[in-house]
Amino acid sequence: MIAAQPRSRILGTGRYTPARVLHNTDLEKIVDTSDSWITERTGIRRRHIAADGELTSDMATAAGRSALAAAGISAADLDMIIVGTISGDSPLPACAVHVQQKLGAWEIPAFDISAACAGFVYGLTIADQFITNGAACRVLVIGVELLSRILNWKDRTTCVLFGDGAGAVVLGPASGDGRGIVSTRIFSDGALAGSLVIPGGGTSEPLTVDGIERSRDKVHMVGQDIFKVAVKNLSSASLIALEGAGMTAADLDWVVAHQANLRIISQVAARLSLPLEKFVLNIEEYGNTSSASIPIALDEAVRDGRIKPGHNVLFCALGAGISWGASVVRM
Ligand code: UT7
């Protein structure tokens, strides 16, 4: 099979995670749960929570600055900012315009992607298209979530799972040495739209006092529905992206999967016939940070030297929508 030639490549990575840490044992005091339940069912031990007054756009900007510095460019060099988030500063305008303003990247397109946990893979795929078409040269792609403010802290089925944080990459044109985004694929299936929702606050259910009392403005999830489809779809999307790259799973050096549940990741590893040691894991530390989870884990592994230039890395993510996707990148 002829290997695909990348058109865009990752020039730098960055992340920001809030300092405040909430341990499973802290949650035992808030809801009817236990450290052992959370650890055994999910792999999560801690999650980072944004400080009071800290904004989604603050975290996104910090991660963006870190990625720009790693890429060796300034905000003025950017042609576009794409932010994957479902927890922006406000429903209107896009979180990305606040990031643009805070970075000082004037008069370039800046927009949000609403693909939940798949937001980063969606953003990467869109950025790759703009660069491939020649319509943009340097694109900042950020995954950021401040989920702690849209969780129902009385609902043990959701509040123990999620955390806050931001990760980012700067994409630029590939230089013909084979490094870059080799293949990337995105998918959605609205049949499971009701399994992971914030039901209130939109046009179908404008918020009322009663709605707020019933936490209709907070995350609701039927975890089992998502779990089953996550294992199947993450595996199939990964195989499709690998096929597009002219590779098999055996060619991969690392997999950076969305960190929703260690059991999901383990089952995907088994389906791809890969050892868990090939997966970058940080769910223990951050929980599920939705669109931020892949770029945070990527940045950690790049900076600590696990992921090296030339390594073949697979990203895969699935979340509300349901929306999912996978990318193969030669770093
Ligand atoms: O990132 C976005 C996409 N989201 C995901 O990928 C999440 C996918 N789903 C999951 O990861 C898992 O389904 C969960 C971690 C959400 C739940 O794990 P599970 O093994 O599927 O548990 P379950 O929902 O089947 O619940 C089992 C039991 C229930 O009690 P009963 O009915 O058996 O008595 C729950 O009420 O565990 C109970 N339970 C809890 N117990 C202690 C649910 N949450 C908790 C909790 N602490 N926090």
Side-chain angles (χ1 to χ4, degrees), residues 31-34 37-38 41-42 117 156-158 160-162 196 221-227 230 258-261 263-264 288 290 318-320:
V31 285
D32 180 17
T33 191
S34 65
W37 190 96
I38 302 170
R41 297 286 181 132
T42 70
C117 305
R156 68 177 184 175
T157 69
T158 51
V160 306
L161 303 174
F162 297 98
L196 181 42
M221 180 168 74
V222 185
Q224 283 278 350
D225 286 359
I226 306 278
F227 190 108
H258 171 48
Q259 313 279 303
N261 190 319
R263 289 185 294 137
I264 294 176
N288 180 347
S290 187
L318 177 141

Side-chain angles (χ1 to χ4, degrees), residues 70-96:
I73 66 166
S74 73
D77 299 320
L78 288 172
D79 299 309
M80 183 175 288
I81 298 172
I82 304 176
V83 176
T85 189
I86 51 98
S87 53
D89 294 4
S90 56
L92 189 74
C95 185

Side-chain angles (χ1 to χ4, degrees), residues 20-33:
R20 190 159 104 203
V21 175
L22 197 62
H23 297 261
N24 289 350
T25 45
D26 299 321
L27 288 165
E28 288 176 347
K29 295 167 199 147
I30 301 173
V31 285
D32 180 17
T33 191

